[in-house]
Amino acid sequence: MSGHSKWHNIQGRKNAQDAKRGKIFQKISRDLYQAAKAGDPDPANNPQLRLVMDKARAANMPKDNVQRAIDKATGVGGAKFEEITYEGYGPGGTAVMVSALTDNKNRTAAAVRSAFTHHGGSLGAAGSVSYMFDRKGYVVILRDGLDADEDTVLMDALDAGADDMTATDTSFEIFTDPSSLPAVRDALQEKGYDLDTAEVTMFPQNTTPIPEDKISQYQGLIDELEDNDDVADVYEAATMPEGVE
């Protein structure tokens, strides 16, 4: 019995690790697609694509997965992918935006709508919650191994054209206008910074605590959305109640 329990625990941890790895690969695939779509599909001529490919290698993402994401952007194989954003409300009325990359809009729309319905939320019309989010360029530099203090990084970021920076115990988070992101990214790389992240993303203007009796439903909604292969990102204007992780 103890052997079965030990195997069950090991298998449970492995399944959790696999799920986490799958979500990381899913996000990197989205970033690869967007980088290749926005610029040259040859990483030698596309700094953003090189950055994402470096991240893919660091995450041990299989080369076939990397190539598939790039092929989507270039139309190899005949499939045409579209970027679609869905907006809705989670349990308790919390705002949720879903960014999807799909070759079948009907399939993806039905799956996203089903996820909201199954977990006590509702899918809204375009513009119903997007006004609650700001679109920003976002650059992350990790502190680990960095030979520069906070003042130096801030000055270099501002000189590169960034708008603001937040320092945490583990990283420096730099914010830019979306249109300025490529110039800021390139300038920081030229100064020798190793960038962990450089992307355009959505930030909520304010967040709303999830009602305690809706936490399980809300987590179920986010998990189902993130487990969908067509979903690239889920943006939330919500926080867990104080004391709840």
Side-chain angles (χ1 to χ4, degrees), residues 130-174:
S130 58
Y131 70 92
M132 302 180 191
F133 294 81
D134 291 324
R135 188 169 178 265
K136 297 181 181 181
Y138 180 57
V139 177
V140 177
I141 300 172
L142 299 180
R143 285 182 180 267
D144 187 29
L146 182 65
D147 186 23
D149 60 22
E150 181 176 338
D151 289 340
T152 300
V153 178
L154 175 60
M155 291 308 301
D156 286 343
L158 295 176
D159 287 346
D163 295 332
D164 197 7
M165 186 186 85
T166 298
T168 72
D169 291 341
T170 59
S171 67
F172 297 107
E173 297 178 317
I174 298 165

Side-chain angles (χ1 to χ4, degrees), residues 49-239:
L49 184 56
R50 286 200 303 274
L51 177 65
V52 183
M53 290 181 74
D54 287 343
K55 187 180 295 186
R57 280 192 289 271
N60 294 317
M61 185 173 178
K63 291 182 180 179
D64 288 348
N65 293 33
V66 173
Q67 192 57 52
R68 262 199 309 273
I70 296 173
D71 287 346
K72 286 181 182 181
T74 55
V76 172
K80 293 184 178 180
F81 288 79
E82 297 180 74
E83 295 178 64
I84 304 174
T85 300
Y86 301 94
E87 305 177 33
Y89 296 92
T94 51
V96 179
M97 288 183 64
V98 181
S99 174
L101 181 63
T102 181
D103 60 347
N104 186 322
K105 291 190 293 185
N106 292 336
R107 177 193 68 219
T108 306
V112 171
R113 183 180 299 278
S114 176
F116 275 92
T117 301
H118 284 169
H119 299 284
S122 61
L123 196 61
S128 58
V129 302
S130 58
Y131 70 92
M132 302 180 191
F133 294 81
D134 291 324
R135 188 169 178 265
K136 297 181 181 181
Y138 180 57
V139 177
V140 177
I141 300 172
L142 299 180
R143 285 182 180 267
D144 187 29
L146 182 65
D147 186 23
D149 60 22
E150 181 176 338
D151 289 340
T152 300
V153 178
L154 175 60
M155 291 308 301
D156 286 343
L158 295 176
D159 287 346
D163 295 332
D164 197 7
M165 186 186 85
T166 298
T168 72
D169 291 341
T170 59
S171 67
F172 297 107
E173 297 178 317
I174 298 165
F175 304 93
T176 79
D177 184 270
S179 63
S180 302
L181 176 65
V184 173
R185 176 199 65 213
D186 293 351
L188 290 171
Q189 287 181 319
E190 287 175 7
K191 288 180 177 289
Y193 288 104
D194 184 15
L195 309 185
D196 179 70
T197 300
E199 64 183 7
V200 174
T201 188
M202 305 293 289
F203 291 90
Q205 296 168 0
N206 297 288
T207 58
T208 303
I210 303 161
E212 290 193 15
D213 62 337
K214 303 291 186 183
I215 290 174
S216 179
Q217 277 186 307
Y218 186 84
Q219 289 174 328
L221 168 62
I222 301 303
D223 285 345
E224 184 170 340
L225 289 171
E226 290 185 339
D227 286 342
N228 187 318
D229 288 341
D230 293 336
V231 172
D233 272 311
V234 179
Y235 306 110
E236 311 166 48
T239 54

